[in-house]
Amino acid sequence: KQWYQRRVRAPVIAARVIPGVEVTVGSDVEGTEKWPYAGTAGAINAMGGKHVVTDVSEAHIDTKNKVVTTAAFMCETALHEIHDGVGEMVKEVVALARQ
């Protein structure tokens, strides 16, 4: 359980401290083996954030708040797909930093 809590901290904390922030933890459909932590999306929305559904290989950019998130380890999938999503997130963070 502690490992799970570490995974979801950043998007949930962002939702708690930045009103209206858009973040992703992947899917918001609970009860699937691929997305066992999809319930986190509801918590994000309940705290005033906005969860955006993405695939694990994608990143979501909240341009207004300059926040970039990816589903990463929230999805039970191949490591290379998680790597792709993290790579997209890093690419978008670098692009925001250059603005």
Side-chain angles (χ1 to χ4, degrees):
K1 185 170 180 164
Q2 189 176 23
W3 181 70
Y4 160 72
Q5 291 171 341
R6 287 187 184 133
R7 302 186 190 188
V8 299
R9 259 188 215 146
V12 173
I13 290 171
R16 183 76 174 157
V17 300
I18 306 170
V21 70
E22 295 179 0
V23 296
T24 189
V25 290
S27 178
D28 58 2
V29 178
E30 295 184 67
T32 66
E33 288 184 22
K34 183 175 180 179
W35 297 98
Y37 311 111
T40 305
I44 289 166
N45 291 332
M47 285 188 237
K50 180 178 186 292
H51 178 261
V52 179
V53 175
T54 62
D55 190 58
V56 69
S57 62
E58 300 173 323
H60 176 73
I61 306 97
D62 178 342
T63 54
K64 177 184 173 194
N65 294 298
K66 296 190 177 185
V67 173
V68 184
T69 53
T70 187
F73 291 97
M74 298 298 288
C75 182
E76 296 295 330
T77 191
L79 191 56
H80 70 88
E81 291 183 35
I82 294 166
H83 178 270
D84 292 346
V86 172
E88 281 298 309
M89 183 178 68
V90 170
K91 182 179 83 173
E92 296 300 339
V93 168
V94 170
L96 278 175
R98 289 184 175 158
Q99 290 182 357

Coordinates of all heavy atoms in Angstrom, one line a residue:
K1 N 0.8 -1.2 0.0 CA 0.0 0.0 0.0 C 0.9 1.3 0.0 O 0.5 2.2 -0.7 CB -0.9 0.0 1.2 CG -1.9 1.1 1.2 CD -2.9 1.0 2.2 CE -3.8 2.2 2.1 NZ -5.1 2.1 2.8
Q2 N 2.0 1.3 0.7 CA 2.8 2.4 0.8 C 3.4 2.7 -0.6 O 3.5 3.9 -1.0 CB 4.0 2.2 1.7 CG 4.8 3.5 2.0 CD 5.8 3.2 3.0 OE1 6.3 2.1 3.3 NE2 6.3 4.3 3.6
W3 N 3.7 1.7 -1.4 CA 4.2 1.9 -2.8 C 3.1 2.6 -3.6 O 3.4 3.5 -4.3 CB 4.6 0.6 -3.4 CG 5.1 0.6 -4.7 CD1 6.3 1.1 -5.1 CD2 4.5 0.2 -5.9 NE1 6.5 1.0 -6.5 CE2 5.4 0.4 -7.0 CE3 3.3 -0.4 -6.2 CZ2 5.1 0.1 -8.3 CZ3 3.0 -0.8 -7.5 CH2 3.9 -0.5 -8.5
Y4 N 1.9 2.2 -3.5 CA 0.8 2.8 -4.2 C 0.7 4.3 -3.8 O 0.5 5.2 -4.7 CB -0.5 2.1 -3.9 CG -1.8 2.9 -4.2 CD1 -2.1 3.2 -5.6 CD2 -2.5 3.5 -3.2 CE1 -3.2 3.9 -5.9 CE2 -3.6 4.2 -3.5 CZ -4.0 4.4 -4.8 OH -5.1 5.2 -5.1
Q5 N 0.8 4.6 -2.6 CA 0.6 6.0 -2.1 C 1.7 6.9 -2.7 O 1.4 8.0 -3.0 CB 0.6 6.0 -0.6 CG -0.6 5.4 0.1 CD -0.4 5.3 1.5 OE1 0.7 5.3 2.1 NE2 -1.5 5.1 2.2
R6 N 2.9 6.4 -2.9 CA 3.9 7.2 -3.5 C 3.7 7.5 -4.9 O 4.0 8.5 -5.4 CB 5.3 6.4 -3.3 CG 5.8 6.5 -1.9 CD 7.2 5.9 -1.9 NE 7.6 5.8 -0.5 CZ 8.2 4.8 0.1 NH1 8.4 3.7 -0.6 NH2 8.5 4.8 1.3
R7 N 3.1 6.5 -5.6 CA 2.8 6.7 -7.0 C 1.8 7.9 -7.3 O 1.9 8.5 -8.3 CB 2.1 5.5 -7.6 CG 2.7 4.3 -7.6 CD 1.8 3.4 -8.4 NE 2.2 2.0 -8.2 CZ 1.8 1.0 -8.8 NH1 0.8 1.1 -9.7 NH2 2.2 -0.2 -8.6
V8 N 0.8 8.0 -6.5 CA -0.2 8.9 -6.8 C -0.1 10.3 -6.1 O -0.9 11.1 -6.3 CB -1.6 8.3 -6.5 CG1 -1.9 7.1 -7.3 CG2 -1.8 8.1 -5.0
R9 N 0.9 10.5 -5.4 CA 1.0 11.7 -4.6 C 1.0 13.0 -5.5 O 0.3 13.9 -5.2 CB 2.3 11.7 -3.8 CG 2.0 11.4 -2.4 CD 3.3 11.5 -1.5 NE 3.2 10.5 -0.5 CZ 4.2 9.9 0.0 NH1 5.4 10.2 -0.4 NH2 4.0 9.0 0.9
A10 N 1.8 13.0 -6.5 CA 2.0 14.3 -7.2 C 0.7 14.8 -7.8 O 0.4 15.9 -7.6 CB 3.1 14.1 -8.2
P11 N 0.0 14.0 -8.6 CA -1.3 14.5 -9.2 C -2.3 14.9 -8.1 O -3.0 15.9 -8.2 CB -1.8 13.4 -10.1 CG -0.6 12.6 -10.4 CD 0.3 12.7 -9.2
V12 N -2.4 14.1 -7.1 CA -3.4 14.4 -6.0 C -3.0 15.6 -5.2 O -3.8 16.5 -4.9 CB -3.5 13.1 -5.1 CG1 -4.4 13.5 -3.9 CG2 -4.1 12.0 -5.8
I13 N -1.7 15.8 -4.9 CA -1.2 17.0 -4.3 C -1.5 18.2 -5.1 O -2.0 19.3 -4.6 CB 0.2 16.9 -3.9 CG1 0.4 15.9 -2.7 CG2 0.8 18.3 -3.4 CD1 1.8 15.5 -2.4
A14 N -1.2 18.1 -6.4 CA -1.5 19.2 -7.3 C -2.9 19.6 -7.3 O -3.3 20.8 -7.2 CB -1.0 18.9 -8.7
A15 N -3.8 18.6 -7.3 CA -5.3 18.9 -7.3 C -5.7 19.6 -6.0 O -6.6 20.4 -5.9 CB -6.1 17.6 -7.4
R16 N -5.0 19.2 -4.9 CA -5.3 19.8 -3.6 C -4.8 21.2 -3.5 O -5.5 22.1 -2.8 CB -4.6 18.9 -2.5 CG -4.9 19.4 -1.1 CD -6.3 19.0 -0.8 NE -6.5 19.3 0.7 CZ -7.7 19.5 1.2 NH1 -8.8 19.3 0.5 NH2 -7.8 19.8 2.4
V17 N -3.7 21.6 -4.1 CA -3.1 22.9 -3.8 C -3.3 23.9 -5.0 O -3.1 25.1 -4.8 CB -1.7 22.8 -3.4 CG1 -1.5 22.0 -2.2 CG2 -0.8 22.2 -4.5
I18 N -3.7 23.4 -6.2 CA -3.9 24.3 -7.3 C -5.3 24.2 -7.8 O -5.7 23.2 -8.5 CB -2.9 24.0 -8.5 CG1 -1.4 23.9 -8.0 CG2 -3.1 24.9 -9.6 CD1 -0.5 23.4 -9.0
P19 N -6.2 25.1 -7.4 CA -7.6 25.0 -7.8 C -7.8 24.9 -9.3 O -7.2 25.6 -10.1 CB -8.2 26.3 -7.3 CG -7.3 26.8 -6.2 CD -5.9 26.3 -6.7
G20 N -8.5 23.9 -9.8 CA -8.8 23.7 -11.2 C -7.7 23.1 -12.0 O -7.9 23.0 -13.2
V21 N -6.7 22.6 -11.4 CA -5.6 22.1 -12.2 C -6.0 20.8 -12.9 O -6.9 20.1 -12.4 CB -4.4 21.7 -11.2 CG1 -4.7 20.6 -10.3 CG2 -3.1 21.4 -12.0
E22 N -5.5 20.6 -14.1 CA -5.8 19.5 -14.9 C -4.6 18.5 -14.8 O -3.5 18.9 -15.0 CB -5.9 19.8 -16.4 CG -7.1 20.7 -16.7 CD -7.2 21.1 -18.1 OE1 -6.4 20.6 -18.9 OE2 -8.1 21.8 -18.5
V23 N -4.9 17.3 -14.3 CA -3.9 16.2 -14.2 C -4.4 14.9 -14.7 O -5.6 14.8 -14.9 CB -3.4 16.0 -12.7 CG1 -2.8 17.3 -12.2 CG2 -4.6 15.7 -11.8
T24 N -3.5 13.9 -14.9 CA -4.0 12.6 -15.3 C -3.3 11.5 -14.4 O -2.2 11.7 -13.9 CB -3.6 12.3 -16.7 OG1 -4.3 11.1 -17.1 CG2 -2.1 12.2 -17.0
V25 N -4.1 10.5 -14.2 CA -3.6 9.2 -13.6 C -4.0 8.1 -14.6 O -4.1 7.0 -14.2 CB -4.1 9.0 -12.2 CG1 -3.4 10.0 -11.2 CG2 -5.6 9.0 -12.0
G26 N -4.4 8.5 -15.8 CA -4.7 7.5 -16.8 C -6.2 7.4 -17.0 O -6.9 8.3 -17.4
S27 N -6.8 6.3 -16.6 CA -8.2 6.0 -16.7 C -9.0 6.4 -15.5 O -8.4 6.5 -14.4 CB -8.4 4.5 -17.0 OG -9.8 4.2 -17.1
D28 N -10.3 6.6 -15.7 CA -11.2 6.9 -14.5 C -12.2 5.8 -14.4 O -13.2 5.9 -13.6 CB -11.8 8.3 -14.7 CG -12.6 8.4 -15.9 OD1 -12.7 7.5 -16.7 OD2 -13.2 9.5 -16.1
V29 N -12.0 4.7 -15.1 CA -13.0 3.6 -15.1 C -12.5 2.5 -14.1 O -11.4 1.9 -14.4 CB -13.2 3.0 -16.5 CG1 -14.1 1.8 -16.4 CG2 -13.7 4.0 -17.5
E30 N -13.2 2.4 -13.0 CA -12.7 1.5 -12.0 C -13.1 0.0 -12.3 O -14.0 -0.2 -13.1 CB -13.4 1.9 -10.6 CG -12.9 3.2 -10.1 CD -13.4 3.5 -8.8 OE1 -13.1 2.8 -7.8 OE2 -14.2 4.4 -8.7
G31 N -12.4 -0.9 -11.7 CA -12.7 -2.3 -11.8 C -12.0 -3.0 -13.0 O -12.4 -4.2 -13.3
T32 N -11.0 -2.4 -13.6 CA -10.3 -3.1 -14.6 C -8.9 -3.5 -14.1 O -8.3 -2.8 -13.3 CB -10.1 -2.2 -15.9 OG1 -9.2 -1.1 -15.6 CG2 -11.4 -1.7 -16.4
E33 N -8.4 -4.6 -14.6 CA -7.1 -5.1 -14.2 C -6.0 -4.2 -14.7 O -5.0 -4.0 -14.1 CB -6.8 -6.5 -14.7 CG -7.6 -7.5 -13.9 CD -7.3 -8.9 -14.4 OE1 -6.2 -9.2 -14.9 OE2 -8.2 -9.8 -14.1
K34 N -6.2 -3.6 -15.9 CA -5.2 -2.7 -16.5 C -5.0 -1.4 -15.7 O -3.9 -0.9 -15.6 CB -5.5 -2.4 -17.9 CG -4.4 -1.5 -18.6 CD -4.7 -1.3 -20.1 CE -3.6 -0.4 -20.7 NZ -3.8 -0.2 -22.1
W35 N -6.1 -0.9 -15.1 CA -6.1 0.4 -14.4 C -6.6 0.2 -13.0 O -7.7 0.6 -12.6 CB -6.9 1.4 -15.1 CG -6.4 1.8 -16.4 CD1 -6.9 1.3 -17.6 CD2 -5.4 2.7 -16.8 NE1 -6.2 1.9 -18.7 CE2 -5.2 2.7 -18.2 CE3 -4.5 3.5 -16.0 CZ2 -4.3 3.5 -18.8 CZ3 -3.6 4.3 -16.6 CH2 -3.5 4.3 -18.0
P36 N -5.8 -0.5 -12.1 CA -6.3 -0.8 -10.7 C -6.5 0.4 -9.8 O -7.1 0.3 -8.8 CB -5.2 -1.8 -10.2 CG -4.0 -1.4 -11.0 CD -4.5 -1.0 -12.3
Y37 N -5.9 1.5 -10.2 CA -6.0 2.7 -9.3 C -6.8 3.8 -9.9 O -6.7 5.0 -9.6 CB -4.6 3.2 -9.0 CG -3.6 2.1 -8.6 CD1 -2.6 1.7 -9.4 CD2 -3.8 1.5 -7.3 CE1 -1.8 0.7 -9.0 CE2 -3.0 0.5 -6.9 CZ -2.0 0.1 -7.7 OH -1.2 -1.0 -7.3
A38 N -7.7 3.5 -10.8 CA -8.6 4.5 -11.5 C -9.4 5.3 -10.6 O -9.8 6.4 -10.9 CB -9.4 3.8 -12.5
G39 N -9.7 4.8 -9.4 CA -10.5 5.5 -8.4 C -9.8 6.8 -8.0 O -10.5 7.7 -7.5
T40 N -8.5 6.9 -8.2 CA -7.8 8.1 -7.8 C -8.4 9.3 -8.6 O -8.3 10.5 -8.1 CB -6.3 7.9 -8.1 OG1 -5.9 6.8 -7.4 CG2 -5.5 9.1 -7.7
A41 N -8.8 9.1 -9.8 CA -9.4 10.1 -10.6 C -10.6 10.8 -9.9 O -10.7 12.1 -10.0 CB -9.8 9.6 -12.0
G42 N -11.4 10.1 -9.3 CA -12.5 10.6 -8.5 C -12.1 11.5 -7.4 O -12.6 12.6 -7.1
A43 N -11.0 11.1 -6.7 CA -10.4 11.9 -5.6 C -9.9 13.2 -6.1 O -10.1 14.2 -5.5 CB -9.3 11.1 -4.9
I44 N -9.3 13.2 -7.3 CA -8.7 14.4 -7.9 C -9.9 15.4 -8.2 O -9.8 16.5 -7.9 CB -7.9 14.1 -9.2 CG1 -6.6 13.4 -8.8 CG2 -7.7 15.3 -10.0 CD1 -5.9 12.7 -10.0
N45 N -10.9 14.9 -8.8 CA -12.1 15.7 -9.1 C -12.7 16.2 -7.8 O -13.2 17.4 -7.8 CB -13.1 15.0 -9.9 CG -12.6 14.7 -11.3 OD1 -11.8 15.4 -11.9 ND2 -13.0 13.6 -11.9
A46 N -12.8 15.4 -6.8 CA -13.4 15.8 -5.5 C -12.7 16.9 -4.8 O -13.2 17.7 -4.1 CB -13.6 14.6 -4.6
M47 N -11.4 17.0 -5.1 CA -10.5 18.0 -4.5 C -10.5 19.3 -5.3 O -9.8 20.2 -4.9 CB -9.1 17.5 -4.3 CG -9.0 16.5 -3.2 SD -7.3 16.1 -2.9 CE -7.3 14.4 -3.1
G48 N -11.2 19.4 -6.4 CA -11.3 20.6 -7.1 C -10.4 20.6 -8.4 O -10.3 21.5 -9.1
G49 N -9.7 19.5 -8.6 CA -8.9 19.3 -9.8 C -9.8 18.8 -10.9 O -10.9 18.5 -10.7
K50 N -9.2 18.6 -12.1 CA -9.9 18.0 -13.2 C -9.0 16.9 -13.7 O -7.9 17.1 -14.2 CB -10.1 19.0 -14.3 CG -10.8 18.4 -15.5 CD -11.1 19.5 -16.6 CE -11.9 19.0 -17.7 NZ -11.3 18.0 -18.5
H51 N -9.6 15.7 -13.6 CA -8.8 14.5 -14.2 C -9.1 14.4 -15.7 O -10.2 14.6 -16.1 CB -9.3 13.2 -13.5 CG -8.6 12.0 -14.1 ND1 -9.1 11.2 -15.1 CD2 -7.3 11.6 -13.9 CE1 -8.2 10.3 -15.4 NE2 -7.1 10.5 -14.7
V52 N -8.0 14.2 -16.4 CA -8.1 14.0 -17.9 C -7.7 12.6 -18.2 O -6.6 12.2 -17.8 CB -7.2 15.1 -18.6 CG1 -7.2 14.9 -20.1 CG2 -7.5 16.5 -18.2
V53 N -8.5 11.9 -18.9 CA -8.2 10.5 -19.3 C -7.1 10.5 -20.4 O -7.3 11.2 -21.4 CB -9.5 9.8 -19.8 CG1 -9.2 8.4 -20.3 CG2 -10.5 9.7 -18.7
T54 N -6.1 9.7 -20.2 CA -5.0 9.6 -21.1 C -4.6 8.1 -21.2 O -4.9 7.3 -20.3 CB -3.8 10.4 -20.8 OG1 -3.2 9.9 -19.5 CG2 -4.1 11.9 -20.7
D55 N -3.9 7.8 -22.2 CA -3.2 6.4 -22.3 C -1.9 6.5 -21.5 O -1.4 7.6 -21.3 CB -3.0 6.1 -23.7 CG -2.6 4.6 -23.9 OD1 -3.4 3.7 -23.4 OD2 -1.5 4.4 -24.4
V56 N -1.4 5.4 -21.1 CA -0.2 5.3 -20.3 C 1.0 5.9 -21.1 O 1.9 6.4 -20.5 CB 0.1 3.9 -19.9 CG1 0.5 3.0 -21.0 CG2 1.2 3.9 -18.8
S57 N 1.0 5.9 -22.4 CA 2.1 6.4 -23.2 C 2.0 7.9 -23.5 O 2.8 8.4 -24.2 CB 2.2 5.6 -24.5 OG 1.0 5.8 -25.3
E58 N 1.0 8.5 -22.9 CA 0.8 10.0 -23.2 C 1.1 10.8 -21.9 O 1.1 10.3 -20.8 CB -0.7 10.2 -23.6 CG -1.1 9.5 -24.9 CD -2.5 9.6 -25.1 OE1 -3.3 9.6 -24.2 OE2 -2.9 9.8 -26.3
A59 N 1.2 12.1 -22.1 CA 1.3 13.0 -21.0 C 0.2 14.1 -21.2 O -0.2 14.3 -22.3 CB 2.7 13.7 -21.0
H60 N -0.2 14.6 -20.1 CA -1.2 15.7 -20.2 C -0.6 17.0 -19.7 O 0.1 17.0 -18.7 CB -2.5 15.5 -19.4 CG -3.4 16.6 -19.4 ND1 -4.1 16.9 -20.6 CD2 -3.7 17.6 -18.5 CE1 -4.8 18.0 -20.3 NE2 -4.6 18.4 -19.1
I61 N -0.8 18.1 -20.5 CA -0.2 19.4 -20.2 C -1.3 20.3 -19.8 O -2.2 20.6 -20.6 CB 0.6 20.0 -21.4 CG1 1.6 19.0 -21.9 CG2 1.2 21.3 -21.0 CD1 1.2 18.2 -23.1
D62 N -1.3 20.8 -18.6 CA -2.2 21.9 -18.2 C -1.4 23.2 -18.4 O -0.6 23.6 -17.6 CB -2.5 21.8 -16.7 CG -3.4 22.9 -16.2 OD1 -3.5 23.9 -16.8 OD2 -4.0 22.7 -15.1
T63 N -1.6 23.8 -19.6 CA -0.9 25.0 -20.0 C -1.1 26.2 -19.1 O -0.2 27.0 -18.8 CB -1.1 25.4 -21.4 OG1 -2.5 25.5 -21.6 CG2 -0.6 24.3 -22.4
K64 N -2.3 26.3 -18.6 CA -2.7 27.4 -17.7 C -1.8 27.4 -16.4 O -1.3 28.4 -16.0 CB -4.1 27.4 -17.3 CG -4.6 28.5 -16.4 CD -6.0 28.4 -16.0 CE -6.3 29.4 -14.9 NZ -7.6 29.1 -14.3
N65 N -1.7 26.2 -15.8 CA -1.0 26.1 -14.5 C 0.4 25.6 -14.7 O 1.1 25.4 -13.7 CB -1.8 25.2 -13.6 CG -3.1 25.8 -13.2 OD1 -3.1 26.8 -12.6 ND2 -4.2 25.1 -13.6
K66 N 0.8 25.3 -15.9 CA 2.2 24.8 -16.2 C 2.5 23.5 -15.4 O 3.5 23.4 -14.7 CB 3.2 25.8 -16.0 CG 3.1 27.0 -17.0 CD 4.2 27.9 -16.9 CE 4.0 29.0 -18.0 NZ 5.1 29.9 -18.1
V67 N 1.5 22.5 -15.5 CA 1.7 21.3 -14.8 C 1.6 20.2 -15.8 O 0.7 20.2 -16.7 CB 0.6 21.1 -13.7 CG1 0.6 19.7 -13.1 CG2 0.7 22.1 -12.6
V68 N 2.6 19.2 -15.8 CA 2.6 18.1 -16.7 C 2.5 16.8 -15.9 O 3.3 16.6 -15.0 CB 3.9 18.1 -17.6 CG1 3.8 17.0 -18.6 CG2 4.1 19.5 -18.3
T69 N 1.6 15.9 -16.3 CA 1.5 14.6 -15.6 C 1.4 13.5 -16.6 O 1.0 13.7 -17.8 CB 0.2 14.6 -14.7 OG1 -0.9 15.0 -15.4 CG2 0.4 15.5 -13.5
T70 N 1.6 12.3 -16.2 CA 1.5 11.1 -17.0 C 1.0 10.0 -16.1 O 1.2 10.0 -14.9 CB 2.8 10.7 -17.7 OG1 2.5 9.6 -18.6 CG2 3.9 10.3 -16.7
A71 N 0.3 9.0 -16.7 CA -0.2 7.9 -15.9 C 0.9 7.0 -15.3 O 0.7 6.4 -14.2 CB -1.2 7.1 -16.7
A72 N 2.0 6.8 -16.0 CA 3.1 6.0 -15.6 C 2.7 4.7 -14.9 O 2.1 3.9 -15.5 CB 4.1 6.9 -14.8
F73 N 3.1 4.6 -13.7 CA 2.9 3.3 -13.0 C 1.5 3.1 -12.5 O 1.3 2.1 -11.7 CB 3.9 3.2 -11.9 CG 5.3 3.0 -12.4 CD1 6.2 4.1 -12.5 CD2 5.8 1.7 -12.8 CE1 7.5 3.9 -13.0 CE2 7.0 1.6 -13.3 CZ 7.9 2.6 -13.4
M74 N 0.6 3.9 -12.8 CA -0.8 3.7 -12.4 C -1.5 2.6 -13.3 O -2.6 2.1 -13.0 CB -1.6 5.0 -12.6 CG -1.2 6.1 -11.7 SD -1.4 5.7 -10.0 CE -3.1 5.8 -9.8
C75 N -0.8 2.2 -14.3 CA -1.3 1.2 -15.3 C -0.4 -0.1 -15.2 O 0.8 0.0 -15.1 CB -1.2 1.8 -16.7 SG -1.8 0.8 -18.0
E76 N -1.1 -1.2 -15.2 CA -0.5 -2.5 -15.2 C -0.2 -2.8 -16.7 O -1.1 -3.3 -17.4 CB -1.3 -3.5 -14.6 CG -1.6 -3.3 -13.1 CD -0.3 -3.4 -12.3 OE1 0.6 -4.1 -12.6 OE2 -0.3 -2.7 -11.2
T77 N 1.0 -2.5 -17.2 CA 1.3 -2.7 -18.6 C 2.8 -2.9 -18.7 O 3.6 -2.9 -17.7 CB 0.9 -1.5 -19.4 OG1 1.0 -1.8 -20.8 CG2 1.7 -0.2 -19.1
A78 N 3.3 -3.1 -19.9 CA 4.7 -3.3 -20.2 C 5.5 -2.1 -19.8 O 5.1 -0.9 -20.0 CB 4.9 -3.6 -21.7
L79 N 6.7 -2.3 -19.3 CA 7.6 -1.2 -18.9 C 7.9 -0.2 -20.0 O 8.0 1.0 -19.8 CB 8.9 -1.8 -18.3 CG 9.8 -0.8 -17.6 CD1 9.0 -0.1 -16.5 CD2 11.0 -1.5 -17.0
H80 N 8.0 -0.7 -21.2 CA 8.3 0.2 -22.3 C 7.2 1.2 -22.6 O 7.4 2.3 -23.0 CB 8.7 -0.6 -23.6 CG 7.5 -1.3 -24.3 ND1 6.7 -0.7 -25.2 CD2 7.1 -2.5 -24.1 CE1 5.8 -1.5 -25.6 NE2 6.0 -2.7 -25.0
E81 N 6.0 0.8 -22.3 CA 4.9 1.8 -22.5 C 4.9 2.9 -21.4 O 4.6 4.0 -21.7 CB 3.5 1.1 -22.5 CG 3.3 0.2 -23.7 CD 1.9 -0.5 -23.7 OE1 1.0 0.2 -23.2 OE2 1.8 -1.6 -24.2
I82 N 5.2 2.4 -20.2 CA 5.4 3.4 -19.1 C 6.6 4.4 -19.4 O 6.4 5.6 -19.2 CB 5.7 2.7 -17.8 CG1 4.4 1.9 -17.4 CG2 6.1 3.6 -16.7 CD1 4.6 0.8 -16.3
H83 N 7.6 3.8 -19.9 CA 8.8 4.6 -20.3 C 8.4 5.6 -21.4 O 8.8 6.8 -21.3 CB 9.9 3.7 -20.9 CG 11.1 4.4 -21.4 ND1 11.2 4.8 -22.7 CD2 12.2 4.7 -20.8 CE1 12.4 5.4 -22.8 NE2 13.0 5.4 -21.7
D84 N 7.6 5.3 -22.3 CA 7.1 6.2 -23.3 C 6.4 7.4 -22.7 O 6.6 8.5 -23.1 CB 6.2 5.5 -24.4 CG 7.0 4.5 -25.2 OD1 8.2 4.5 -25.2 OD2 6.3 3.7 -25.9
G85 N 5.5 7.1 -21.8 CA 4.7 8.1 -21.1 C 5.6 9.1 -20.3 O 5.4 10.3 -20.4
V86 N 6.6 8.5 -19.6 CA 7.5 9.3 -18.8 C 8.3 10.2 -19.8 O 8.6 11.4 -19.5 CB 8.3 8.5 -17.9 CG1 9.4 9.3 -17.2 CG2 7.5 7.8 -16.8
G87 N 8.7 9.6 -20.9 CA 9.5 10.4 -21.9 C 8.7 11.5 -22.4 O 9.3 12.6 -22.6
E88 N 7.4 11.3 -22.7 CA 6.6 12.4 -23.2 C 6.4 13.5 -22.1 O 6.5 14.7 -22.5 CB 5.2 11.9 -23.5 CG 5.1 11.2 -24.9 CD 5.4 12.1 -26.0 OE1 4.8 13.2 -26.1 OE2 6.3 11.7 -26.8
M89 N 6.3 13.1 -20.9 CA 6.2 14.1 -19.8 C 7.5 14.9 -19.7 O 7.4 16.2 -19.6 CB 5.9 13.4 -18.5 CG 5.7 14.4 -17.3 SD 5.4 13.6 -15.8 CE 6.9 12.7 -15.4
V90 N 8.6 14.3 -19.8 CA 9.9 15.0 -19.7 C 10.0 16.0 -20.9 O 10.4 17.1 -20.7 CB 11.1 14.0 -19.6 CG1 12.4 14.8 -19.8 CG2 11.0 13.3 -18.3
K91 N 9.7 15.5 -22.0 CA 9.7 16.3 -23.3 C 8.8 17.6 -23.1 O 9.3 18.7 -23.4 CB 9.3 15.5 -24.5 CG 9.3 16.3 -25.8 CD 8.9 15.4 -26.9 CE 7.4 15.4 -27.0 NZ 6.8 14.8 -28.2
E92 N 7.7 17.4 -22.5 CA 6.7 18.6 -22.4 C 7.2 19.5 -21.2 O 7.0 20.7 -21.3 CB 5.3 18.1 -22.1 CG 4.7 17.3 -23.2 CD 4.6 18.1 -24.5 OE1 4.6 19.3 -24.5 OE2 4.4 17.5 -25.6
V93 N 7.8 19.0 -20.2 CA 8.4 19.8 -19.1 C 9.5 20.7 -19.7 O 9.6 21.9 -19.4 CB 8.9 19.0 -17.9 CG1 9.7 19.8 -17.0 CG2 7.7 18.4 -17.2
V94 N 10.3 20.1 -20.5 CA 11.4 20.8 -21.1 C 10.9 21.9 -22.0 O 11.3 23.1 -22.0 CB 12.4 19.9 -21.9 CG1 13.4 20.7 -22.8 CG2 13.1 19.0 -20.9
A95 N 9.8 21.6 -22.8 CA 9.2 22.6 -23.7 C 8.6 23.8 -22.9 O 8.8 24.9 -23.3 CB 8.1 21.9 -24.5
L96 N 8.0 23.4 -21.8 CA 7.4 24.5 -20.9 C 8.5 25.4 -20.3 O 8.4 26.6 -20.2 CB 6.6 23.9 -19.8 CG 5.2 23.5 -20.1 CD1 4.5 22.9 -18.8 CD2 4.3 24.7 -20.4
A97 N 9.6 24.7 -19.9 CA 10.8 25.5 -19.4 C 11.4 26.5 -20.4 O 11.9 27.5 -20.0 CB 11.8 24.5 -18.8
R98 N 11.3 26.1 -21.6 CA 11.9 27.0 -22.7 C 11.0 28.2 -23.0 O 11.4 29.1 -23.7 CB 12.2 26.2 -23.9 CG 13.3 25.2 -23.7 CD 13.7 24.5 -24.9 NE 14.9 23.6 -24.7 CZ 15.2 22.6 -25.4 NH1 14.4 22.2 -26.4 NH2 16.3 21.9 -25.1
Q99 N 9.8 28.2 -22.6 CA 8.8 29.3 -22.9 C 9.1 30.5 -22.1 O 9.6 30.5 -21.0 CB 7.4 28.8 -22.7 CG 6.9 27.8 -23.6 CD 5.5 27.4 -23.4 OE1 4.8 27.9 -22.4 NE2 4.9 26.6 -24.2

